[in-house]
Amino acid sequence: MKVSIFLAILLAGAACTAEIPDRVITVMGEIRPDKLGPTLSHEHVLVDFIGAEFSEPPRYNRDSAYWIILPHILEIRNLGVKTFVECTPKYLGRDPLLLKKLSEETGMNFITNTGFYGAIDNKYIPAPVLNMPAEAIAAFWIAEFRQGIDGTGIIPGFIKIGVNPTELSDFHKTLVKAAAQAHKATGLTIMSHTGPAVPAFQQLDILKSEGVKADALIWTHAQNEKDWSKHVEAAKAGAWISLDGFWGGAEKAAEIAEMVVNLKKHNVLHKLLLSQDSGWYDPDKPDGSNYQPHTPLFTELIPALNQAGINDADLHQILEVNPGKALTVGFRVYEE
Ligand SMILES: [Zn+2]
């Protein structure tokens, strides 16, 4: 009896003092969030548009894809990028082993994901999943977090879902609910391909009803919402605002710069993520002729941001500090 009380006190003490350090999960393992360095928070090295039914096993030769992709990664490494958040979900060409090979070769951090992508009317969702309850869907993602992806031992660093750019369908509500449940089990941040504000705010409502705070959500493709006050509103609620569509062009650069300035004006620059959504090796174009470089952010967008009054400290916040915080594994939940 005495021994067990002693043990209980010891264990309680250990629980109080054992602080779990903040961490981000890359394909090579865990790193501290402040070690991410300059980060591209939403890119793709590969996307296969064939649809869920035919996407696995891969339709491409991994080595051939690797040699097409590598020069594009070396190009951004030369520009100082240290971390690449790869947002291609399962059934759309997610390939953790390819990312690991790129990471080993370049020394850069690559982060992959778990989750299912419901946008494009569920083309990338296997038919049986459409009838599953949220708990069963979440169980897939939680298992990948605990056991690694498809026997590779590689752990996902965030949950990627996707919804249509309209009011949420019943199934998309289920996907969001599953993401909330998986967040509560894993502490992984939810990155949701969304677009307009209507589905973004519906998702925040569902998360809240599941006890999950807004900071667990990255509102992805927020640039597609033209009412910029919605960016501010969601950021003030705690959500991450991801402006992530830029393949070049002065007009587009100026527009995104204005969105960033608006967030700065409202003191929510600490909730902004900025990236390009570029790359996309396509197995149907194996010569890589369609591959969009990951460089316009540096060659065009940053100069436009500078011109609009976004300074180096702001850029450090947006491209280094914020991604580390957004992708830190941790439970963003309301106290019971
Ligand atoms: Zn994307």
Side-chain angles (χ1 to χ4, degrees):
M1 186 65 186
K2 266 186 187 163
V3 171
S4 65
I5 290 170
F6 177 65
L7 259 180
I9 292 167
L10 247 185
L11 286 171
C16 290
T17 50
E19 274 204 9
I20 300 167
D22 281 348
R23 62 199 174 116
V24 171
I25 302 174
T26 78
V27 297
M28 304 293 282
E30 295 178 359
I31 60 169
R32 288 172 48 115
D34 57 3
K35 296 286 182 237
L36 256 56
T39 298
L40 290 177
S41 56
H42 188 118
E43 305 291 325
H44 301 266
V45 298
L46 188 150
V47 184
D48 187 353
F49 297 100
I50 188 75
E53 206 182 333
F54 305 106
S55 68
E56 292 182 359
R59 301 191 296 141
Y60 52 90
N61 178 295
R62 183 175 291 128
D63 280 337
S64 310
Y66 170 81
W67 289 113
I68 297 281
I69 295 161
L70 181 62
H72 293 283
I73 301 301
L74 292 173
E75 206 176 13
I76 47 172
R77 190 181 70 172
N78 286 340
L79 291 168
V81 175
K82 291 243 163 28
T83 300
F84 188 105
V85 184
E86 217 279 347
C87 301
T88 301
K90 185 169 169 67
Y91 304 120
L92 262 156
R94 179 189 63 169
D95 191 337
L97 290 176
L98 174 62
L99 300 182
K100 191 174 179 190
K101 198 169 153 75
L102 288 165
S103 184
E104 283 167 344
E105 176 62 29
T106 63
M108 285 169 54
N109 304 309
F110 284 78
I111 301 175
T112 188
N113 64 84
T114 188
F116 296 154
Y117 181 90
I120 329 282
D121 298 323
N122 305 322
K123 181 181 175 187
Y124 304 101
I125 303 276
V129 174
L130 295 170
N131 297 313
M132 286 183 186
E135 293 72 15
I137 294 172
F140 277 114
W141 308 340
I142 296 165
E144 285 197 335
F145 176 77
R146 291 186 179 151
Q147 291 144 33
I149 297 169
D150 299 336
T152 61
I154 294 170
I155 310 292
F158 62 100
I159 299 163
K160 172 80 188 277
I161 59 171
V163 298
N164 277 356
T166 54
E167 295 225 352
L168 297 179
S169 66
D170 284 345
F171 176 66
H172 289 177
K173 286 178 186 165
T174 301
L175 268 189
V176 179
K177 203 171 155 189
Q181 292 174 1
H183 172 78
K184 286 189 284 185
T186 64
L188 292 181
T189 302
I190 303 160
M191 176 190 289
S192 180
H193 166 109
T194 299
V198 168
F201 280 85
Q202 277 189 298
Q203 289 176 87
L204 289 174
D205 286 344
I206 293 171
L207 294 185
K208 195 171 187 180
S209 68
E210 292 290 316
V212 175
K213 291 181 177 173
D215 10 350
L217 182 75
I218 299 173
W219 172 6
T220 301
H221 311 319
Q223 71 277 3
N224 293 346
E225 172 55 56
K226 297 308 171 197
D227 178 356
W228 300 349
S229 70
K230 296 292 181 190
H231 298 160
V232 176
E233 190 184 334
K236 287 199 166 159
W240 297 95
I241 310 303
S242 180
L243 304 179
D244 49 36
F246 183 66
W247 289 17
E251 206 176 313
K252 189 74 187 165
E255 189 194 16
I256 292 173
E258 283 312 305
M259 289 185 213
V260 174
V261 166
N262 183 54
L263 292 169
K264 183 175 179 177
K265 195 173 84 188
H266 290 92
N267 298 315
V268 284
L269 220 46
H270 63 290
K271 300 304 301 191
L272 170 64
L273 299 172
L274 196 64
S275 206
Q276 293 156 113
D277 203 7
S278 281
W280 311 50
Y281 173 90
D282 181 345
D284 284 326
K285 294 174 189 128
D287 63 350
S289 57
N290 69 308
Y291 200 100
Q292 294 293 320
H294 303 284
T295 51
L297 185 140
F298 301 94
T299 55
E300 296 182 59
L301 187 52
I302 287 180
L305 287 166
N306 288 151
Q307 214 172 9
I310 301 299
N311 59 36
D312 286 351
D314 297 331
L315 287 171
H316 175 75
Q317 174 86 40
I318 298 164
L319 295 172
E320 297 193 42
V321 179
N322 293 352
K325 288 192 173 161
L327 293 165
T328 293
V329 181
F331 301 103
R332 283 86 157 179
V333 293
Y334 292 100
E335 301 292 329
E336 290 290 310

